[in-house]
Amino acid sequence: MLTLCIWALILRDVYAATYNIGTTATKGSLAFENVRYGVERWNSANAAHTEVSLNIVATELYFAGIEERMCDVMQHSVVAVLIPNSEERLDETLMKSMCHHFRIPCLTLKMGNHIEFASDFVASIGPPRGLGARATSEFLENLRWTSFLLAYQHESDLEELAPLIYDRRSTHHGGDRASIQLRRLPNNTDSYEPFLKYVRNRLRQTNIVIHSSNITTLYALLQQAKGINMTEPPFSYIFTNTDLSLLEDFLNNVYGSFHCNITGLQLVKNDPMMKTSLALTSEAVWVVGTALHKMTDLKVPPRPAAMLCDAKDSWTDGSRMNDAIRKLNARQQLTGDIRFDSGGERENLVYYGIGRINSQFVKVPFFLEA
């Protein structure tokens, strides 16, 4: 019996497959470290019982364009490619085109504009474009603000913020349109204090929505606001950044107490809390691993193949791998349930409202489902 068990373990090791998962994030970057965390998390929790282990393939072409980095990754027989948030839209469009041409499934953390380019080989693990702005708009309805300032960081943010800017018909005030003022944040953090004074003294606005993907921007703004007494009532802030709760230690331990209302949205359901980009990247890796596991269980595992750009190759099993990813339906992951619609966008993604009560962030009675 002991001999049979030993042989069973040996055979399992022999037939356990290791698959390469690619990313255009360069080695050593934050995006690469997020993918590495996701791969290590999958292998630690799932490799033993699924007999599917993952290996990360990244590029060292630090100054190359997206096309060169993509070609560098695909020659290592990857079964999927992860697109980090750091890719610019033009690069993202080119990558989607390459994923379609070479029939390599791609997973992005944030779907771009479908009108610009839609690909049947790209799925988004992150929220659909504009969903965060729509969630913020609904959240504002719950707070019953009649007017507010929306401060954004980049001109390119305006497209994503469109649902918040234009869909402002309040149901709580006789159908009147809640007034909104738009201002762009200064590029230099040293200019935040004059900007905040302008908001207080010239715009006379106490309800402020801050849109920035950079959590250090939130830190700097609140630090400057504290210094000029704009973190006391009647001032109220909503931050669209879903990593807001990670600032809890700062709000409790630095520069004294913050007595104003500070609220926002959150995607991550995991406890302890982690950065949204890390959670989404880890989920993207999990999606690839689970798709491979399901294909293996059905006795139809994909056969990886090296893709050479100069040879104009395409992956024979790419469509089957892509279908396995698109058909996944998983519950209670780091940011909630995972399911994709026919266009590759994620469905049933839920935002929770968070607010500070007794010096800590807690969920408030609000959520928006995609």
Side-chain angles (χ1 to χ4, degrees):
M1 179 63 71
L2 179 60
T3 302
L4 289 175
C5 290
I6 293 174
W7 273 108
L9 290 172
I10 293 174
L11 288 173
R12 190 184 72 174
D13 290 339
V14 169
Y15 289 106
T18 298
Y19 294 93
N20 288 338
I21 181 170
T23 178
T24 54
T26 54
K27 292 181 179 179
S29 66
L30 179 59
F32 170 81
E33 294 300 327
N34 286 347
V35 178
R36 186 167 70 172
Y37 169 83
V39 168
E40 291 175 352
R41 178 173 176 265
W42 167 269
N43 289 338
S44 175
N46 301 291
H49 71 271
T50 64
E51 299 184 9
V52 170
S53 64
L54 300 176
N55 176 59
I56 181 173
V57 172
T59 179
E60 294 183 349
L61 301 177
Y62 298 100
F63 303 105
I66 195 68
E67 185 174 4
E68 290 83 2
R69 283 182 281 144
M70 184 70 173
C71 290
D72 187 36
V73 167
M74 288 193 302
Q75 66 180 332
H76 295 284
S77 303
V78 297
V79 295
V81 176
L82 270 57
I83 306 174
N85 264 353
S86 56
E87 299 296 350
E88 297 179 1
R89 186 176 303 175
L90 178 62
D91 288 345
E92 181 182 293
T93 300
L94 177 58
M95 171 169 285
K96 289 178 180 179
S97 178
M98 294 182 72
C99 291
H100 174 81
H101 175 79
F102 293 101
R103 310 189 77 76
I104 296 288
C106 293
L107 284 161
T108 177
L109 302 192
K110 189 175 184 180
M111 186 67 80
N113 192 332
H114 273 290
I115 297 176
E116 293 176 3
F117 187 84
S119 171
D120 53 354
F121 273 80
V122 177
S124 175
I125 199 71
R129 191 173 186 84
L131 181 63
R134 186 159 64 89
T136 304
S137 182
E138 294 289 337
F139 195 33
L140 282 167
E141 293 291 330
N142 284 19
L143 296 178
R144 304 195 177 195
W145 285 5
T146 58
S147 66
F148 63 94
L149 167 74
L150 173 58
Y152 58 94
Q153 195 159 22
H154 306 290
E155 290 297 331
S156 58
D157 294 337
L158 293 175
E159 182 181 351
E160 186 172 346
L161 289 169
L164 174 58
I165 297 171
Y166 300 110
D167 184 21
R168 293 301 313 134
R169 295 197 178 276
S170 174
T171 58
H172 300 297
H173 302 280
D176 294 334
R177 188 178 181 87
S179 62
I180 176 174
Q181 295 172 295
L182 291 172
R183 294 294 186 276
R184 184 176 176 179
L185 290 169
N187 293 327
N188 193 332
T189 56
D190 292 337
S191 301
Y192 283 172
E193 181 177 332
F195 173 78
L196 290 168
K197 288 181 177 179
Y198 167 77
V199 171
R200 181 185 61 190
N201 301 331
R202 297 290 298 276
L203 300 182
R204 298 185 180 278
Q205 187 57 259
T206 59
N207 297 328
I208 304 169
V209 178
I210 304 295
H211 179 76
S212 173
S213 59
N214 191 343
I215 196 170
T216 58
T217 298
L218 280 59
Y219 176 95
L221 272 168
L222 288 172
Q223 179 183 352
Q224 296 293 331
K226 178 67 178 177
I228 57 175
N229 205 36
M230 286 182 65
T231 56
E232 301 291 329
F235 290 95
S236 295
Y237 297 87
I238 293 178
F239 293 94
T240 63
N241 190 307
T242 52
D243 293 328
L244 174 63
S245 62
L246 295 177
L247 289 179
E248 187 170 295
D249 289 342
F250 159 72
L251 295 174
N252 289 334
N253 300 323
V254 183
Y255 305 108
S257 301
F258 289 74
H259 298 124
C260 62
N261 290 325
I262 298 177
T263 53
L265 301 172
Q266 184 170 305
L267 272 177
V268 176
K269 314 302 186 296
N270 188 65
D271 187 16
M273 175 66 176
M274 64 173 64
K275 287 196 68 174
T276 305
S277 59
L278 177 60
L280 291 174
T281 302
S282 185
E283 286 182 330
V285 173
W286 183 91
V287 163
V288 175
T290 303
L292 290 167
H293 173 47
K294 289 184 178 296
M295 295 176 74
T296 301
D297 271 356
L298 294 173
K299 311 299 183 185
V300 287
R303 295 161 296 180
M307 298 290 106
L308 299 178
C309 289
D310 292 341
K312 298 182 179 180
D313 291 333
S314 63
W315 186 23
T316 304
D317 284 355
S319 293
R320 292 198 300 113
M321 181 68 194
N322 190 57
D323 288 343
I325 289 174
R326 293 289 186 97
K327 292 177 180 178
L328 278 180
N329 190 352
R331 295 183 58 81
Q332 297 180 340
Q333 300 304 308
L334 296 175
T335 63
D337 299 345
I338 298 178
R339 186 172 66 194
F340 301 105
D341 64 15
S342 59
E345 287 197 348
R346 187 166 169 182
E347 296 182 317
N348 302 329
L349 195 59
V350 176
Y351 283 90
Y352 286 109
I354 59 171
R356 294 189 78 234
I357 298 177
N358 296 327
S359 299
Q360 64 179 354
F361 282 106
V362 297
K363 293 177 183 177
V364 297
F366 164 84
F367 72 92
L368 179 74
E369 182 175 318

